Amino acid sequence: MTDQYAVMGNPIAHSKSPRIHAAFASETHQDIHYDKLLVEQGQLAEAIANFRTQGGKGLNITVPFKNDAFDLADNLTERAQLAGAVNTLVLNNDGTLHADNTDGIGLVRDLTINHQFDLKGARILLLGAGGAVQGVLLPLLQQQPSEIVIANRTVSKAEALCEKFSAYGNLSASGFEDLNGQSFDGIINGTAASLQGEVPPLPDNILNEGAWCYDMMYSNEPTAFVQWGEKQGATQSVDGLGMLVEQAAESFALWRDVKPNTSTVIQLLRESA
Ligand code: ATR
């Protein structure tokens, strides 16, 4: 029987994951089937149990179930533990669930490999302090930036993240207005503002010479934050499509023990946008 994989979320209709994983499977000659499954709130455990009886071997978990998946896991990688959220499950034969979070490493690979941004020694501004930001902090800190400043509308949430991750690198918390007069080598937008076509209220002139901007969101048109970065003179201002493909590749490698090529898939998605 062909091994079954799927992404579970709500909504799920527009997920690009089935296309991405089908391309990976074809390129690596893996006999798998990958579906997208709509799950009702509070029904994740049942949906996973059902999927298991149908030959399910692994799952991606997306909004709004990443915390539920965290709670259901039997064992967690360190990065999933610190993320407090899970985007990848391995359905072990003994009935247990192994859980990982590949979002952060997906972001890091897109930044450092696909876009060639230097994170080591860089002073980075990270916008937002919600689940998306917590999900990527450990892999970002492991790249040894000189400092990450977490700026958020609600400063107390940024402060709580700094406390939680203080052992892993140099972190500080800020409000947006306090960024005036500071400067950064790169800015990563992890707020949900892009979803509303908005940009957090950032001061002008906070980009160092050669600085880059990265929006963890992606869209067919340049996002509001990508446009902001372009106006501010960033060397590159890019969206998070590559992160989506890279996190998928990390999940695929965990399930199938083979690393797919990501650049052709990123290009494919970009061209068909
Ligand atoms: P996610 O899982 O996408 O991170 P979340 O946990 O609800 O979702 O967090 C959303 C983040 O986007 C928060 O940092 C939020 O700021 P607050 O903590 O102050 O609410 C931020 N955010 C959402 N809309 C925003 C906007 N219009 N401008 C600035 N920040 C915004």
Side-chain angles (χ1 to χ4, degrees), residues 83-130:
V86 156
N87 79 334
T88 309
L89 291 171
V90 179
L91 280 58
N92 292 322
N93 289 335
D94 64 3
T96 59
L97 286 176
H98 172 68
D100 196 1
N101 189 319
T102 63
D103 288 329
I105 190 65
L107 169 64
V108 164
R109 289 182 64 87
D110 196 37
L111 291 170
T112 61
I113 299 173
N114 300 337
H115 296 297
Q116 300 275 305
F117 300 155
D118 224 350
L119 299 186
K120 195 176 162 80
R123 186 163 195 259
I124 294 173
L125 175 61
L126 188 49
L127 307 174

Side-chain angles (χ1 to χ4, degrees), residues 3-205:
D3 289 344
Q4 304 291 316
Y5 296 86
V7 57
M8 291 183 170
N10 191 342
I12 204 66
H14 295 104
S15 172
K16 295 187 195 293
S17 293
R19 240 183 114 192
I20 294 170
H21 284 280
F24 289 165
S26 152
E27 187 237 327
T28 58
H29 309 290
Q30 297 285 302
D31 179 25
I32 70 159
H33 180 255
Y34 189 107
D35 219 344
K36 55 187 172 197
L37 298 172
L38 179 70
V39 173
E40 296 306 324
Q41 288 273 9
Q43 301 287 309
L44 185 67
E46 277 145 298
I48 294 172
N50 243 335
F51 188 60
R52 197 190 273 287
T53 64
Q54 292 158 20
K57 299 288 182 199
L59 285 165
N60 283 129
I61 304 295
T62 189
V63 179
F65 297 116
K66 290 185 180 185
N67 301 101
D68 293 0
F70 180 90
D71 293 338
L72 291 170
D74 294 294
N75 59 75
L76 292 151
T77 59
E78 185 192 23
R79 62 193 185 195
Q81 184 78 52
L82 276 159
V86 156
N87 79 334
T88 309
L89 291 171
V90 179
L91 280 58
N92 292 322
N93 289 335
D94 64 3
T96 59
L97 286 176
H98 172 68
D100 196 1
N101 189 319
T102 63
D103 288 329
I105 190 65
L107 169 64
V108 164
R109 289 182 64 87
D110 196 37
L111 291 170
T112 61
I113 299 173
N114 300 337
H115 296 297
Q116 300 275 305
F117 300 155
D118 224 350
L119 299 186
K120 195 176 162 80
R123 186 163 195 259
I124 294 173
L125 175 61
L126 188 49
L127 307 174
V133 164
Q134 185 175 342
V136 300
L137 259 175
L138 179 67
L140 274 180
L141 286 166
Q142 285 171 334
Q143 296 298 304
Q144 300 178 301
S146 65
E147 184 182 11
I148 295 181
V149 176
I150 304 176
N152 198 42
R153 207 165 47 179
T154 316
V155 182
S156 59
K157 282 166 73 180
E159 285 167 347
L161 281 184
C162 285
E163 210 164 296
K164 183 174 168 107
F165 286 86
S166 63
Y168 300 91
N170 189 14
L171 275 172
S172 60
S174 174
F176 294 123
E177 62 286 354
D178 304 321
L179 297 171
N180 220 331
Q182 299 199 44
S183 57
F184 300 93
D185 302 312
I187 306 183
I188 300 169
N189 180 31
T191 69
S194 277
L195 293 176
Q196 303 131 29
E198 289 172 13
V199 181
L202 298 170
D204 289 332
N205 305 317

